[in-house]
Amino acid sequence: MGIVNDRGRWYWVKRVPKRFAGLVTGADGKPVGQVRQALHTGDKSEAKVKAAQIEAARLAEWEAMAAGDAGSARRHYEAARELAAARGFPYRPVAALAEGDLAPLVERLLSLTEGGALASPAATEAVLGTVPEVLPTLPEVLTEYYEMTTTRHIKKSDAQRHKWKLPRERAVRNFLDVVVEKGADGKPLALPVGDITRQHALDFRRWWATRVERGMNPESANKDFGHLSEIWNTWIELKGVDLPNPFTKLRFAPDTDSEARTPPFSREWVTDKLLADGALDGLNEESRDVLLVMVNTGLRPSEITDAPLEDFAVTDNVPHLIVAPHGREVKVSHTRRNVPLLGVSLEAARRIVARGGMKRYRFKAGSWSGLVNKYLANNGLKETPKHSAYSIRHYVENALLAASVDDRVRADILGHKYKRPKYGDGGALLGRKDALALIAL
């Protein structure tokens, strides 16, 4: 964008971008490569403000023209909405404008002739609402939802962002697979979100109900319902679309069976099985050491795999691992903490440092879990079928409780939310070290 002064008056001047070549025309109807518009002021500051407003409106107009020329109904409709907004009007269908008081319609008509020249066809369509409404499909809504919520995930690493997207994509895919008819290629046919009804959502719930009756955890279904509802609400709010949410109040009652929770390993199993000579020799060095760091700390796998080399403070007076963001988003604020390293966990952490830090599983806790859980299952190292590598974290929690460690200190070690007000530092590293020494192997 530029402004030029010609005999004391300012003008907005812009070269037409290549993507709009041939669409932008002059008074003679022929394509132009540059446009110029009077700003009707001799004040430079005022000219800059007016020029910015004009540029936004003209770019929106050109986008609408390009959308119409390309023949994309959805893109054409969205461009018309943006162009109407750029010209100071919310997009409303012409039928709605023609109902009741005609004053708003007259105001829009007059705006199209400001300056004595008729507005472009694209501007006329947008302001008068003659572009048919075309709503996106659910996968398109999901894409726009990602674009509109980028600021929520600035602190996430690429791996965390990918992991965050997976269940939302799965929820959309599950829903479409269940309720939408398939084409000849076996893929779901396009279904605009305006055509998604409460009945579709109830059909989806019935599909999930059948799976829950067969033994699936109801929380898997509830996650799908929750993701779909949140995506829908966010999209309609930020896009200004008036559509009822069909995915509300679908949740199943949670499974209150305590056995559904990943059970902790017993201390005897950890000492006699997991730490037995040669028990973990079939694992690669890095995966084995991550598991061993967990044994005396109760750290989450990702808190170890994603930690940079400098967070392994193994040479400090109280050796410890620092749990901090450093290129990733920590679960919640109270998970930031320093966890002392003792016994087999300290030895494993020193080996990780000697190798230059985490390499193979950095930001790949999911891959680590898949490998280790398969190894435990194949080598008779699962205390019950429901046990997993994460059972070590629950073992540490139980062991600290059995050792009568204060709940504040336990929360500080495990990164749990502490419900009572905090006073002081909870004993800091020395207090946590003394607590972990009671259970260290």
Side-chain angles (χ1 to χ4, degrees):
M1 179 191 76
I3 57 174
V4 297
N5 190 287
D6 186 356
R7 290 172 289 182
R9 307 299 288 175
W10 290 96
Y11 293 81
W12 169 73
V13 179
K14 183 174 181 65
R15 184 178 298 279
V16 176
K18 289 182 179 180
R19 67 182 185 279
F20 303 127
L23 293 175
V24 182
T25 59
D28 58 1
K30 295 181 180 180
V32 297
Q34 181 174 289
V35 291
R36 170 174 162 139
Q37 183 171 332
L39 298 174
H40 304 293
T41 181
D43 182 88
K44 186 174 183 179
S45 296
E46 183 182 357
K48 287 182 177 180
V49 173
K50 286 186 173 182
Q53 295 170 341
I54 287 174
E55 174 146 340
R58 293 298 289 274
L59 285 173
E61 180 178 333
W62 296 344
E63 290 286 2
M65 291 166 63
D69 186 67
S72 167
R74 165 71 179 153
R75 186 173 165 224
H76 191 184
Y77 172 68
E78 283 297 313
R81 282 172 55 91
E82 294 172 6
L83 177 51
R87 295 183 71 94
F89 299 101
Y91 185 86
R92 293 189 63 198
V94 64
L97 290 172
E99 293 177 354
D101 186 4
L102 294 181
L105 177 58
V106 172
E107 181 185 3
R108 291 177 182 238
L109 285 167
L110 292 175
S111 75
L112 296 170
T113 58
E114 288 180 2
L118 289 174
S120 69
T124 302
E125 284 183 335
V127 172
L128 297 184
T130 61
V131 179
E133 181 179 40
V134 180
L135 291 174
T137 62
L138 197 54
E140 290 171 333
V141 164
L142 181 62
T143 298
E144 294 180 4
Y145 165 81
Y146 288 152
E147 294 170 351
M148 293 186 293
T149 57
T150 53
T151 55
R152 298 182 188 177
H153 315 292
I154 292 173
K155 294 182 179 179
K156 283 184 171 66
S157 66
D158 289 343
Q160 286 179 314
R161 199 172 294 111
H162 173 70
K163 186 176 180 180
W164 176 83
K165 286 183 176 181
L166 285 178
R168 288 153 181 82
E169 292 168 355
R170 183 168 54 246
V172 169
R173 184 171 59 253
N174 284 344
F175 176 74
L176 295 179
D177 284 345
V178 171
V179 307
V180 180
E181 293 183 14
K182 309 299 187 296
D185 59 359
K187 295 181 179 179
L189 297 174
L191 178 68
V193 290
D195 293 342
I196 294 177
T197 65
R198 179 66 173 176
Q199 189 59 51
H200 285 126
L202 293 175
D203 289 344
F204 185 48
R205 189 181 192 276
R206 275 191 289 274
W207 175 79
W208 260 118
T210 300
R211 304 184 83 195
V212 170
E213 288 169 1
R214 293 173 180 171
M216 283 204 68
N217 191 328
E219 278 309 299
S220 297
N222 291 341
K223 286 178 181 178
D224 269 11
F225 303 149
H227 290 318
L228 290 169
S229 183
E230 198 272 331
I231 290 166
W232 188 284
N233 281 338
T234 300
W235 184 80
I236 63 172
E237 181 177 346
L238 296 182
K239 295 291 286 190
V241 178
D242 185 16
L243 284 175
N245 187 341
F247 300 111
T248 59
K249 299 180 180 179
L250 296 176
R251 294 175 62 86
F252 295 113
D255 186 351
T256 56
D257 182 358
S258 61
E259 292 184 2
R261 178 178 182 262
T262 302
F265 283 120
S266 66
R267 187 172 180 85
E268 291 73 26
W269 191 270
V270 174
T271 57
D272 299 343
K273 296 289 186 177
L274 298 182
L275 298 183
D277 288 343
L280 303 177
D281 286 355
L283 289 171
N284 64 70
E285 289 183 337
E286 189 168 287
S287 64
R288 180 171 62 246
D289 283 338
V290 170
L291 190 69
L292 292 173
V293 169
M294 291 178 66
V295 167
N296 289 329
T297 64
L299 284 159
R300 299 175 179 91
S302 63
E303 292 173 338
I304 305 168
T305 61
D306 297 357
L309 177 61
E310 59 268 24
D311 282 359
F312 288 87
V314 296
T315 59
D316 282 26
N317 290 333
V318 178
H320 61 281
L321 181 68
I322 301 167
V323 180
H326 296 317
R328 63 186 291 270
E329 183 180 60
V330 293
K331 192 171 182 181
V332 281
S333 60
H334 52 261
T335 62
R336 299 187 184 199
R337 63 200 189 282
N338 297 336
V339 182
L341 296 164
L342 298 88
V344 297
S345 296
L346 176 56
E347 294 170 6
R350 283 173 174 160
R351 288 193 294 270
I352 290 173
V353 171
R355 291 193 296 268
M358 295 299 303
K359 306 287 187 181
R360 186 170 181 173
Y361 297 103
R362 184 82 194 280
F363 298 130
K364 294 180 180 178
S367 297
W368 176 88
S369 294
L371 172 80
V372 173
N373 284 326
K374 183 177 180 180
Y375 181 84
L376 295 179
N378 291 343
N379 291 273
L381 296 176
K382 293 179 68 173
E383 195 164 357
T384 73
K386 290 190 175 184
H387 279 76
S388 70
Y390 208 83
S391 296
I392 294 178
R393 176 169 165 82
H394 297 316
Y395 148 72
V396 172
E397 184 177 3
N398 278 10
L400 290 171
L401 182 62
S404 300
V405 173
D406 178 77
D407 57 353
R408 160 70 188 280
V409 178
R410 293 202 313 273
D412 287 345
I413 291 171
L414 295 164
H416 288 164
K417 185 175 183 179
Y418 187 67
K419 296 181 180 179
R420 297 205 304 267
K422 286 189 176 184
Y423 300 100
D425 60 8
L429 272 178
L430 284 174
R432 294 171 211 166
K433 177 187 175 183
D434 290 343
L436 286 172
L438 298 173
I439 67 166
L441 298 168

